[in-house]
Amino acid sequence: MHGTRILDEADRLMTVCNSCRYCEGLCAVFPAMEMRRAFSDGDLNYLANLCHSCGACYVDCQFSPPHEFNVNVPQTLAIARAESYAAYAWPRALSGAFARNGLVISIVAALSMAAFIFGFAALNDRSVLFGVHTGPGAFYRLMPHNAMAALFSAAFLFAILALVMSVRAFWRDIGTPIGGRADGGSIFQAIRDAGELRYLHGGGVGCYNEDDKPTDRRKLFHHLTFYGFLLCFAATSVGTLYHYLLGREAPYPWWDLPAVLGTLGGIGLVVGPVGLFIAKSRRAPELLDESSSGMDVGFIAMLFLTGLTGMLLLILRETAAMGPLLALHLGAVFALFITMPYGKFVHGIYRFAALLRYAQERRTEA
Amino acid sequence: MGSKYDVLVIGGGNAALCAAIAARRGGASVLVLEGAPKFYRGGNTRHTRNMRCAHDAATEILTGPYTEEEFWEDLLRVTGGQTDEVLARHMIRESKDILNWIVEQGVRWQPSLGGTLSLGRTNSFFLGGGRAMLNALYLTAERLGVDVAYDAEVTDLVIEDGMFLAARLKRPIGGETEIRATSLVAAAGGFEANIEWLKQYWGEAADNFLIRGTPYNRGSILKMLLAKGVQEVGDPTQCHAVAIDARAPKFDGGIITRHDSVVFGIVVNKHAERFYDEGEDIWPKRYAIWGRLVAAQPDQIAYIIFDSTVVTSFMPTLFPPIAGQTVAELAGKLTLDPVALEKTITEFNAAVRPGTFDHTILDDCVTEGVTPPKTHWARKIETPPFLAYPVRPGITFTYLGTRVNKESRMLMADGKPSANMFAAGEIMAGNVLGKGYAAGMGMTIGSVFGRIAGREAAKHARN
Ligand SMILES: Cc1cc2nc3c(=O)[nH]c(=O)nc-3n(C[C@H](O)[C@H](O)[C@H](O)COP(=O)(O)OP(=O)(O)OC[C@H]3O[C@@H](n4cnc5c(N)ncnc54)[C@H](O)[C@@H]3O)c2cc1C
Ligand code: SF4
Ligand code: SF4
């Protein structure tokens, strides 16, 4: 017996799969399963986070419903995965946030923050809100750079702390790798596997979506989103360096590095999430964990809003719309930060941890 | 649908799809009639995992060469010579090319496996298993323009003088209940799911058989063809049968109900008596004989009994072993006579001679002075908890079939080839398999003769 009903079901399925093993070539879940005979809660959470939800093992399984063995690995692991995020959340008191972390929460957080910035600016000087500002430092007419930096650093640091604490609990619970320790090779392997989404390929043909014809669409949109996010993050980091090291203030001309990175990242963050959202809404319901779709959509929406407002800001920054857009953009970024440890964002971190564990196990086995 | 097709394929498994694809590639218009609903399409092929093909050199997926001659010798050994040499050799030769042809149809192989099954040299494994393989074949067939109808059980065949004219359906498709075609490929499997028919040869015992694969292979097409003058081949009691968990569903339990622990313990019947040398031979031979052995026991039930020292030595099982802290407690749970079981185990333990255990070879752990003996891997059963799996005969597929020639063309009772009827797969497996089985041959028979049947049926239709 396990902690939850879904872990009991995951255990049942892993017992079925372990006596079958037809899917062992499809992804990392099955070889990792084969290294075990009995499954602790931690083992099941590990396997759940190794699954990329490509759907292949559902479409390929001779025992998927309506067969009486009722084997649905992708859906079971998706639910277990979502529950594992809450189980390892830090601080514990906030773990319930996953259940509620829907679209509404994120949007309310974003709007509240935007309103706050708006209000902050209005309090100082009404005219800056709808004024036209150009040239270096234009953004900081709305909110002084130091205030902005303090606010966002605090949110960011909190998010990092919460994430580190959560993933530490996860890492401990999934157990020491069968026989080995973290080493450079495993880390490199895990970065590659995560970076190229190695296991979102249904064993080579692509991912299953609305029917039994595989495509690479979800992988493409995921790449756009993920690398879009990284580029935007890089843009912000370079901007920060410019500010402190070179004394060059935002906004930067379109050809300058922070703006170029931001533009490319922004495109990814607009196209990627929209694609993922469409793919998700078309996906066969038997592959999905409907209960956590709020969490997924909330995260996709925040990424999209961050990307969209960022792009609009870039285009309209020399007009009177700059003030409200900047407030919205900062609001979205802020909401993204504070909801990060309690929403879909964590899937990337847990998946990376699981891939790292898998890489270690493989290396020690070899 | 509704118009006349060049080639009509009955069935929806590996043999049927290979035939349909080959016929379509040969320029014919093709309709596939699958009796099962879409999920259950592909009969027993859904449950398969690998295929045996000859090849001259190691490849990415196979660890070494497996020559035509070696394949032939393996076939000769398992069938004890009960095979049609011309057909069998033809199949083996063609199997070489099938290895690549099947990949061209979108099927993917898994890189060679480590561990559990010692088939890395002779057999290629489907990536994702048989259903993945079928999915690929269906996608290719549909892309090429083959029409497929599900829930389309054929209930009658119109045949005149060895010439196929039309097939009748249980449920109309496109408003038609009668489908006409220029050639027929029958690829509708064996009759293993037809308990009534099995009873004709096995008597009431057949009620206790479990059918490992699809409930849709009821042999109706085979029966119609034989009734309409097609020549019969094979012994109706010959089939591929293994011992599977008695708790498995009546039909369609698939691969995961098998047990491979015989070598680690003893097997007793409902009187708690041993009845066969559990150490006779290594996998896969021992795997394939236990179905028949159990079928010959009272009530067709037996129990594999072992102790806690070996539980991790074999593949994990779907159903957990039944456990008892004492032999008597275990016997109680199995509803066996405790005194009888204790006696059997005590006698067995006393007969075990010291040796060096190695389950990968025919080792020197033997018994002395007990009947039947255990000639390899004999070790005492003495460390509680005592464990058991109840097993019953699990029928994989039957060998009675339609006789064919090298063109996969059915032969009529008078020995003449049919004008336009071809057969492939389980429905004609008995041509090659008089008895016995070597892992992966079911798919070889289906793919090789399926492709030939499709090609020849298209050729006939377009003449
Ligand atoms: C559990 C299990 C594991 C196996 N593993 C392997 C393996 O690893 N390798 C291997 O080589 N072999 C294996 N076999 C054997 C293999 O499954 C068969 O040899 C092979 O699938 C036969 O293919 P087929 O196309 O002739 O028949 P099937 O795949 O059984 O297809 C027969 C089709 O005919 C349809 N049908 C029946 N009657 C009618 C009708 N009246 N009208 C219309 N349609 C009809 C059925 O619905 C079905 O789709 C396994 C079998 C089982 C049960
Ligand atoms: S998902 Fe189905 S086919 Fe795949 S390993 Fe599990 S039981 Fe076997
Ligand atoms: S859905 Fe894909 S990634 Fe997840 S377990 Fe199945 S095959 Fe692996």
Side-chain angles (χ1 to χ4, degrees):
Chain A
M1 285 302 268
H2 290 278
T4 65
R5 193 197 60 74
I6 199 69
L7 290 183
D8 285 339
E9 172 65 359
D11 190 324
R12 181 183 79 85
L13 294 191
M14 291 299 105
T15 305
V16 174
C17 294
N18 219 357
S19 58
C20 170
R21 303 189 167 183
Y22 280 18
C23 291
E24 67 186 353
L26 293 180
C27 73
V29 170
F30 297 93
M33 165 198 83
E34 288 178 19
M35 293 181 204
R36 296 156 172 81
R37 278 203 171 226
F39 304 94
S40 67
D41 284 13
D43 290 333
L44 293 169
N45 286 331
Y46 162 50
L47 296 174
N49 280 284
L50 261 189
C51 168
H52 289 48
S53 236
C54 74
C57 64
Y58 178 82
V59 178
D60 291 351
C61 179
Q62 64 270 45
F63 305 122
S64 32
H67 191 283
E68 63 179 288
F69 289 160
N70 195 25
V71 173
N72 187 338
V73 176
Q75 187 175 53
T76 305
L77 294 190
I79 301 172
R81 201 156 57 236
E83 291 191 3
S84 78
Y85 304 152
Y88 297 111
W90 184 92
R92 295 290 306 142
L94 286 178
S95 69
F98 280 95
R100 298 183 297 270
N101 191 340
L103 192 54
V104 179
I105 286 209
S106 317
I107 289 187
V108 167
L111 289 180
S112 324
M113 192 57 202
F116 172 75
I117 295 169
F118 218 68
F120 186 93
L123 216 65
N124 280 340
D125 177 4
R126 257 161 217 288
S127 66
V128 304
L129 274 183
F130 297 104
V132 175
H133 314 273
T134 50
F139 289 163
Y140 310 125
R141 303 286 295 275
L142 204 65
M143 190 184 219
H145 181 266
N146 287 344
M148 213 185 268
L151 197 62
F152 282 82
S153 308
F156 187 64
L157 289 177
F158 172 74
I160 297 284
L161 175 69
L163 285 170
V164 167
M165 295 303 283
S166 312
V167 82
R168 203 170 73 136
F170 173 67
W171 187 249
R172 284 193 176 154
D173 205 29
I174 65 182
T176 24
I178 296 187
R181 293 179 299 113
D183 59 296
S186 305
I187 295 173
F188 179 66
Q189 181 68 46
I191 290 175
R192 267 185 52 183
D193 291 347
E196 62 188 49
L197 282 181
R198 171 139 170 232
Y199 298 112
L200 195 75
H201 69 350
V205 286
C207 177
Y208 291 86
N209 294 290
E210 57 273 19
D211 56 22
D212 52 11
K213 298 183 180 57
T215 71
D216 273 333
R217 237 177 294 144
R218 271 181 76 222
K219 194 174 192 166
L220 173 72
F221 290 130
H222 190 287
H223 279 332
L224 284 170
T225 308
F226 176 65
Y227 290 105
F229 179 82
L230 283 191
L231 285 169
C232 290
F233 192 74
T236 311
S237 307
V238 173
T240 307
L241 291 181
Y242 270 25
H243 186 91
Y244 287 109
L245 293 184
L246 307 180
R248 286 170 60 181
E249 293 198 330
Y252 303 101
W254 67 267
W255 45 261
D256 207 354
L257 193 55
V260 171
L261 292 172
T263 308
L264 291 176
I267 294 172
L269 271 191
V270 170
V271 180
V274 170
L276 283 178
F277 178 76
I278 294 174
K280 187 175 186 68
S281 53
R282 286 210 201 131
R283 211 157 188 231
E286 60 270 23
L287 292 173
L288 290 172
D289 164 21
E290 301 279 3
S291 61
S292 64
S293 75
M295 172 170 96
D296 296 359
V297 173
F299 179 54
I300 292 179
M302 285 334 286
L303 289 175
F304 173 73
L305 277 183
T306 303
L308 184 72
T309 52
M311 294 295 284
L312 286 176
L313 193 59
L314 200 74
I315 298 165
L316 300 175
R317 63 190 179 183
E318 298 196 343
T319 73
M322 191 274 265
L325 275 176
L326 183 64
L328 271 178
H329 182 62
L330 294 177
V333 174
F334 185 80
L336 189 65
F337 280 174
I338 60 159
T339 55
M340 245 161 31
Y342 311 105
K344 186 61 187 273
F345 175 80
V346 299
H347 84 284
I349 313 264
Y350 284 74
R351 177 146 303 142
F352 180 76
L355 284 168
L356 179 57
R357 175 66 86 233
Y358 181 67
Q360 289 170 356
E361 290 185 349
R362 289 315 288 230
R363 286 173 80 86
T364 38
E365 202 195 39
Chain B
M1 261 171 247
S3 57
K4 186 174 164 173
Y5 285 87
D6 291 336
V7 176
L8 177 70
V9 179
I10 304 179
N14 170 49
L17 269 287
C18 287
I21 289 171
R24 186 77 193 109
R25 290 201 188 276
S29 63
V30 183
L31 172 65
V32 171
L33 297 177
E34 161 61 289
K38 185 170 180 191
F39 171 79
Y40 283 98
R41 75 181 180 189
N44 284 343
T45 303
R46 267 174 56 239
H47 291 295
T48 64
R49 180 191 185 120
N50 60 56
M51 177 153 128
R52 182 180 290 255
C53 292
H55 48 277
D56 291 329
T59 65
E60 253 173 69
I61 52 159
L62 290 155
T63 54
Y66 184 52
T67 61
E68 284 183 46
E69 203 46 38
E70 204 184 340
F71 193 154
W72 165 245
E73 276 156 22
D74 284 343
L75 180 65
L76 210 53
R77 199 160 35 83
V78 296
T79 58
Q82 293 187 38
T83 179
D84 179 329
E85 179 163 357
V86 174
L87 273 185
R89 284 192 183 271
H90 183 56
M91 176 187 89
I92 292 170
R93 197 165 319 118
E94 292 270 315
S95 79
K96 278 186 170 173
D97 191 40
I98 282 290
L99 214 45
N100 302 319
W101 185 78
I102 209 89
V103 171
E104 284 159 24
Q105 314 319 316
V107 173
R108 291 162 304 139
W109 300 115
Q110 178 161 305
S112 66
L113 287 181
T116 43
L117 300 168
S118 45
L119 293 169
R121 187 173 69 87
T122 53
N123 290 36
S124 311
F125 287 70
F126 306 121
L127 184 66
R131 190 165 171 230
M133 182 262 190
L134 270 172
N135 290 342
L137 292 183
Y138 273 95
L139 280 181
T140 300
E142 279 161 18
R143 197 170 36 78
L144 292 172
V146 170
D147 285 339
V148 178
Y150 300 108
D151 280 312
E153 188 189 338
V154 172
T155 52
D156 199 10
L157 296 174
V158 186
I159 294 171
E160 269 171 29
D161 296 330
M163 170 112 175
F164 167 81
L165 299 177
R168 297 217 173 91
L169 295 170
K170 187 158 152 199
R171 290 205 334 197
I173 47 171
E176 313 266 333
T177 48
E178 191 169 284
I179 306 278
R180 289 169 308 126
T182 313
S183 339
L184 170 75
V185 176
F191 65 99
E192 59 277 354
N194 189 335
I195 307 283
E196 291 308 311
W197 196 352
L198 290 174
K199 272 189 186 173
Q200 279 181 30
Y201 314 109
W202 294 87
E204 296 306 307
D207 271 334
N208 287 324
F209 291 178
L210 301 176
I211 312 308
R212 301 175 71 207
T214 182
Y216 293 91
N217 282 2
R218 301 182 41 78
S220 50
I221 301 297
L222 173 62
K223 196 167 240 171
M224 287 172 220
L225 289 168
L226 298 182
K228 298 199 177 190
V230 174
Q231 193 178 330
E232 173 177 312
V233 70
D235 171 353
T237 69
Q238 287 296 339
C239 60
H240 180 255
V242 299
I244 64 168
D245 201 292
R247 295 162 287 184
K250 184 79 182 165
F251 294 102
D252 217 49
I255 191 71
I256 63 179
T257 61
R258 67 163 160 356
H259 285 301
D260 201 27
S261 45
V262 167
V263 64
F264 299 100
I266 58 171
V267 184
V268 301
N269 62 16
K270 75 170 215 175
H271 303 307
E273 291 160 348
R274 291 177 57 239
F275 53 89
Y276 197 83
D277 177 3
E278 300 89 347
E280 187 189 49
D281 207 346
I282 44 177
W283 202 96
K285 184 173 173 205
R286 72 168 180 261
Y287 176 69
I289 62 175
W290 283 91
R292 288 181 160 267
L293 291 172
V294 176
Q297 293 304 307
D299 292 350
Q300 295 70 50
I301 183 108
Y303 304 88
I304 306 172
I305 304 207
F306 52 100
D307 71 14
S308 59
T309 57
V310 298
V311 268
T312 52
S313 306
F314 43 85
M315 280 273 289
T317 55
L318 172 66
F319 298 101
I322 296 166
Q325 282 308 318
T326 62
V327 171
E329 188 194 340
L330 178 65
K333 288 192 182 167
L334 302 176
T335 63
L336 294 178
D337 176 3
V339 178
L341 186 61
E342 268 170 354
K343 180 165 170 284
T344 300
I345 292 183
T346 311
E347 280 176 12
F348 173 78
N349 284 349
V352 169
R353 293 290 157 261
T356 312
F357 181 86
D358 183 349
H359 72 99
T360 58
I361 56 166
L362 296 168
D363 73 0
D364 62 353
C365 294
V366 297
T367 59
E368 245 173 58
V370 70
T371 341
K374 186 171 179 187
T375 51
H376 303 286
W377 315 298
R379 284 188 302 180
K380 289 183 181 163
I381 299 170
E382 55 186 3
T383 313
F386 298 94
L387 304 160
Y389 293 119
V391 290
R392 286 201 182 280
I395 313 299
T396 316
F397 67 99
T398 50
Y399 293 173
L400 177 75
T402 57
R403 191 178 280 285
V404 298
N405 65 13
K406 274 169 71 178
E407 290 178 342
S408 228
R409 198 182 283 268
M410 291 185 223
L411 297 182
M412 305 309 290
D414 59 10
K416 289 208 188 94
S418 158
N420 64 349
M421 300 197 293
F422 303 82
E426 255 176 37
I427 201 170
M428 47 65 69
N431 287 275
V432 179
L433 288 170
K435 67 168 197 186
Y437 187 71
M441 291 208 10
M443 296 302 277
T444 317
I445 295 170
S447 302
V448 168
F449 289 103
R451 177 163 78 141
I452 297 174
R455 193 175 60 207
E456 297 299 321
K459 214 188 275 173
H460 169 84
R462 295 180 47 82
N463 260 336

